[in-house]
Amino acid sequence: MNKPVSIDWSQLGFSYMKTPYRYVATWKDGKWDQGSLSEDNQLKISEASSALHYGQQCFEGLKAYRTKSGQIQLFRPDQNAKRMQESCKRVLMPEVSEEQFIDACKQVIKANADYVPPHGTGATLYLRPFVIGVGDNIGVKPAPEYIFCVFCLPVGPYFKGGMAPVNFTVSQYDRAAPYGTGAAKVGGNYAASMYPHSLAVKKGFADCIYLDPKTHRKIEEVGAANFFGITKDNVFVTPDSPSILPSITKYSLLYLAEHYLEMKVEQRDVYIDKLDEFAEAGACGTAAVITPIGGIDYNDRMHVFYSETEVGPVTKKLFDTLCGIQFGDVEAPEGWIIPVE
Ligand SMILES: *Cc1c(COP(=O)(O)O)cnc(C)c1O
């Protein structure tokens, strides 16, 4: 059995920690094997693996939450499973069934249950499922074999001292092409984002905003998170584009804004030179949950939304509702919460 863990849950950030067990399955001869848990955190793969040379891979990110009563639960893992299938299709990898995906996540959580942070700390167990093309291959073509792995690590709350807004700058670079892989969670998109990210950080910003790759007039992504704005007449707006990564957090917020906060919601173009329409803005994703956007730097002018130091009331309400559901304190829409029994 696991050794008792001594972790200061309040000090956790978002950095790698080796936990005892991970799930590994292999695809060979046209099918996935049933997979198993392993204590080894090293993968041994061919030097000619297509994941290494041609970026034939994809990943997911989701969290396990500890409720007040001590239960562990997942938030919409079926949506991560479906998105990973779409990513696999886009880079010609075999899909993992929803059933195998969720079962793998549950096995990893149960085997590492001591690493699921206690309720009330705001910390969670982050799961990182991924699929990589492996095996001997040198031409640009799909790999002969694949590995599906899920590992996990405890991560801290994004906001240690409460929700503080951060500032972003608009990048001149693109993270994806108009009909490229922007909607797939594939590694190449993230390799492409590291340099623009470093430029933004050098200028003193948290990250950069990517505009649509075709016209450079509309907001697409905020670093590796989706954008939303609250208009001055209280409409929840989020951009619509085929090169945006479809964030499960974003779709959840669209639903919660409409059905829990009784707001109007819209998915439509958001023009970078029309930010005045918004009273508040934020970035959303599993890792960031909701990050309030203080301001956006564009053409050497800083556009401030609600405040550079305080979170706006609607953003705060959305955050409290979403986290309440994820940690089991607020009643969830049907099918959103999957208990890990
Ligand atoms: C993963 C990711 C998101 C957030 O998606 P969630 O499902 O909400 O975690 C947003 N943008 C990019 C580019 C991402 O990779």
Side-chain angles (χ1 to χ4, degrees):
M1 278 315 287
N2 301 341
K3 283 189 239 112
V5 299
S6 58
I7 294 172
D8 184 351
W9 307 107
S10 69
Q11 288 307 308
L12 284 172
F14 195 82
S15 38
Y16 181 76
M17 177 192 293
K18 184 187 171 188
T19 51
Y21 297 98
R22 71 276 307 104
Y23 171 97
V24 185
T26 304
W27 187 92
K28 221 188 254 186
D29 305 325
K31 61 177 192 303
W32 289 106
D33 66 19
Q34 61 169 26
S36 59
L37 294 173
S38 161
E39 290 186 67
D40 188 357
N41 72 336
Q42 306 287 317
L43 293 172
K44 192 164 186 234
I45 61 173
S46 167
E47 62 189 1
S49 292
S50 67
L52 299 177
H53 301 270
Y54 307 127
Q56 197 191 19
Q57 64 87 254
C58 69
F59 67 98
E60 274 301 323
L62 69 164
K63 288 172 170 175
Y65 305 82
R66 178 90 65 183
T67 67
K68 208 172 260 169
S69 66
Q71 303 268 91
I72 303 171
Q73 60 187 32
L74 284 161
F75 177 73
R76 311 189 75 183
D78 55 310
Q79 298 298 307
N80 294 92
K82 290 192 174 97
R83 187 170 66 190
M84 198 172 86
Q85 292 179 337
E86 293 305 310
S87 298
C88 283
K89 269 190 218 164
R90 183 62 181 82
V91 293
L92 226 56
M93 299 195 293
E95 292 164 42
V96 175
S97 71
E98 199 174 309
E99 192 191 351
Q100 186 167 10
F101 181 96
I102 294 174
D103 175 59
C105 291
K106 286 183 175 174
Q107 284 192 43
V108 169
I109 295 163
K110 282 193 256 183
N112 297 289
D114 294 347
Y115 290 80
V116 184
H119 185 80
T121 58
T124 53
L125 188 76
Y126 182 77
L127 299 165
R128 170 52 63 87
F130 62 96
V131 177
I132 53 175
V134 299
D136 299 335
N137 170 60
I138 197 64
V140 180
K141 63 177 185 295
E145 292 173 21
Y146 295 85
I147 290 173
F148 167 48
C149 177
V150 182
F151 68 86
C152 70
L153 47 128
V155 297
Y158 217 69
F159 305 104
K160 285 217 179 72
M163 278 179 102
V166 295
N167 294 336
F168 296 89
T169 185
V170 175
S171 179
Q172 340 166 20
Y173 290 92
D174 296 325
R175 62 176 284 280
Y179 300 97
T181 54
K185 222 168 167 74
V186 297
N189 296 342
Y190 303 85
S193 74
M194 288 180 191
Y195 181 62
H197 171 81
S198 76
L199 295 178
V201 169
K202 213 181 275 175
K203 280 167 71 181
F205 296 96
D207 206 336
C208 55
I209 292 206
Y210 294 100
L211 301 180
D212 72 289
K214 218 171 189 170
T215 70
H216 273 212
R217 293 180 59 215
K218 299 175 278 187
I219 292 184
E220 293 240 312
E221 294 262 6
V222 187
N226 277 188
F227 175 90
F228 70 86
I230 312 298
T231 65
K232 289 177 175 163
D233 49 3
N234 207 37
V235 181
F236 179 96
V237 178
T238 181
D240 192 21
S241 155
S243 45
I244 290 177
L245 192 283
S247 156
I248 295 157
T249 313
K250 188 260 300 286
Y251 287 115
S252 304
L253 291 177
L254 274 166
Y255 184 90
L256 297 178
E258 188 172 2
H259 299 279
Y260 282 55
L261 273 61
E262 276 152 31
M263 297 169 68
K264 267 199 207 140
V265 301
E266 286 174 3
Q267 284 184 268
R268 58 150 164 95
D269 292 339
V270 173
Y271 288 91
I272 189 67
D273 58 2
K274 286 188 188 147
L275 296 178
D276 270 340
E277 64 174 321
F278 298 113
E280 299 177 32
C284 63
T286 297
V289 192
I290 292 177
T291 302
I293 301 178
I296 296 178
D297 165 66
Y298 177 59
N299 284 344
D300 293 321
R301 278 195 48 233
M302 187 69 169
H303 178 92
V304 175
F305 294 97
Y306 183 76
S307 152
E308 283 183 83
T309 52
E310 272 172 65
V311 55
V314 180
T315 305
K316 179 73 168 68
K317 211 176 282 176
L318 285 166
F319 177 84
D320 288 342
T321 308
L322 177 66
C323 290
I325 288 171
Q326 291 172 331
F327 284 103
D329 298 321
V330 171
E331 192 174 340
E334 202 180 324
W336 280 23
I337 293 299
I338 305 298
V340 180
E341 62 291 322

